[in-house]
Amino acid sequence: MLFFDKLRKFSVDFCIDILRILSAILKKNTINFLIVVTSKLQYYNSSSYLTHITMSSKTNDLQESYAKTRLLLALWDLGGCEEKVARGKLGKRIVPKGQKMTDYQGILDDLTNQGAITVSKKGSAITYTLTSSTGLNLLKAALRNDEFEFNSNLGAWVGNSLLRLFRQVDVVVPASVVSDNGVKVEVISSYEEFKTVALDVYDKLNEDYNLDDLVPIYRIRREIGKRVSREKFNTWLVEMQADDILQLMTGEVPDFTSDKREDSISIPGTQLRSYAKRLI
């Protein structure tokens, strides 16, 4: 029995051929024995056999990876991060026709040993939970693997689960970039972002040039540059006044040339606003 237990570590083809060789020995067919041994040694040393073994191993690894990923995704979709999921409920989700939950026991044991899932037993009832760190990270890493792909038609639950998972993952959207005097700068895309930038620029100009809390609007506009359009700059700066963040004031600016006037703000029905004063 020990001999046959050792054979289990090898491929099925290899084991069958070993048994044929043994059969030839037992029949005392020396010529047949030598022929079989010689031919099989040549085959097992050939590149075709090694390629066969490599491809079979890779296929098995991918199939196991698919089964693990599908199991983790199902457990996550069933709320396994927050509550225990019954074995039967998980089985209904992942086990296809012709298979049983016991076929997944090796995978469940492996995931348990990795700390990806935890198993709870109460009497005959078995439940599973997905660990929020290891288990969820393992699921995400599997889905990012370039070699991973689903080997059958997706069920609705798989597609919907992937959508939900994708929506919960932080996705970094590349910022729009423009060139300002040869330097690439990020475009300001929202009022909230504009408020932060405008106040930072206001404080910097006020401190660097001792402007006594009256910062020329044209200087704020030029400092921000092409990160925001002229129209949005006007709209958002007026909105900051409406929100009592800045007060836009009239007044003559030293050396107030036409281009500086143009870079100030004209509010319909009122005088030209040339200064900004911070209120908060």
Side-chain angles (χ1 to χ4, degrees):
M1 292 298 294
L2 181 61
F3 172 75
F4 289 102
D5 288 338
K6 296 290 184 182
L7 285 182
R8 291 168 62 185
K9 297 182 179 180
F10 300 97
S11 69
V12 175
D13 292 341
F14 183 81
C15 294
I16 291 174
D17 289 331
I18 289 294
L19 293 174
R20 285 176 178 170
I21 292 172
L22 289 174
S23 176
I25 295 173
L26 293 174
K27 291 178 180 178
K28 297 182 181 181
N29 190 338
T30 306
I31 296 177
N32 187 37
F33 168 72
L34 291 174
I35 292 174
V36 171
V37 169
T38 302
S39 63
K40 292 307 175 183
L41 285 175
Q42 290 175 344
Y43 172 64
Y44 289 125
N45 283 318
S46 67
S47 59
S48 61
Y49 176 73
L50 295 176
T51 300
H52 167 72
I53 291 297
T54 302
M55 292 300 293
S56 297
S57 176
K58 187 174 183 179
T59 300
N60 290 337
D61 288 344
L62 289 175
Q63 288 176 344
E64 183 177 346
S65 174
Y66 166 78
K68 278 185 179 180
T69 304
R70 197 167 181 272
L71 189 152
L72 290 171
L73 183 61
L75 193 54
W76 176 84
D77 186 58
L78 292 169
C81 283
E82 293 84 24
E83 59 186 30
K84 296 177 180 180
V85 177
R87 180 182 176 91
K89 190 174 183 180
L90 179 62
K92 288 180 181 179
R93 182 62 64 89
I94 66 171
V95 179
K97 292 182 179 179
Q99 293 186 9
K100 297 179 292 185
M101 190 61 179
T102 52
D103 297 330
Y104 287 77
Q105 192 57 50
I107 292 174
L108 288 166
D109 292 342
D110 189 28
L111 291 173
T112 302
N113 293 333
Q114 292 182 57
I117 64 174
T118 55
V119 184
S120 301
K121 296 181 180 180
K122 189 175 181 180
S124 59
I126 301 176
T127 57
Y128 302 96
T129 53
L130 179 69
T131 59
S132 58
S133 54
T134 304
L136 195 54
N137 289 336
L138 192 64
L139 171 59
K140 292 176 182 178
L143 292 172
R144 291 191 190 103
N145 189 335
D146 291 337
E147 292 188 341
F148 175 79
E149 61 182 20
F150 290 100
N151 56 12
S152 62
N153 292 331
L154 286 177
W157 77 264
V158 176
N160 291 330
S161 297
L162 289 173
L163 281 174
R164 287 179 53 227
L165 182 62
F166 176 77
R167 289 165 183 156
Q168 291 186 17
V169 174
D170 292 332
V171 179
V172 178
V173 179
S176 299
V177 176
V178 294
S179 178
D180 192 355
N181 294 324
V183 178
K184 290 184 176 181
V185 292
E186 290 185 7
V187 171
I188 298 172
S189 58
S190 69
Y191 171 59
E192 293 300 320
E193 185 182 359
F194 176 80
K195 283 193 301 184
T196 301
V197 174
L199 290 176
D200 287 345
V201 169
Y202 177 98
D203 290 339
K204 183 177 183 300
L205 291 172
N206 189 46
E207 182 179 348
D208 290 351
Y209 297 98
N210 298 315
L211 297 175
D212 197 23
D213 296 324
L214 285 176
V215 179
I217 293 172
Y218 83 87
R219 299 194 71 162
I220 298 175
R221 187 193 296 273
R222 292 179 181 182
E223 189 71 22
I224 295 177
K226 292 184 178 180
R227 295 185 63 189
V228 65
S229 67
R230 296 185 64 86
E231 182 182 355
K232 285 185 177 179
F233 178 91
N234 295 344
T235 301
W236 285 340
L237 206 66
V238 171
E239 191 170 345
M240 289 180 71
Q241 177 173 253
D243 291 339
D244 294 326
I245 299 171
L246 292 176
Q247 181 181 357
L248 306 182
M249 305 171 65
T250 61
E252 283 294 318
V253 175
D255 191 25
F256 208 19
T257 57
S258 60
D259 59 309
K260 292 178 182 178
R261 286 179 178 275
E262 189 177 346
D263 283 346
S264 299
I265 287 183
S266 295
I267 302 176
T270 65
Q271 291 180 293
L272 180 74
R273 307 293 173 160
S274 51
Y275 287 103
K277 180 179 179 65
R278 183 166 182 168
L279 301 178
I280 61 172

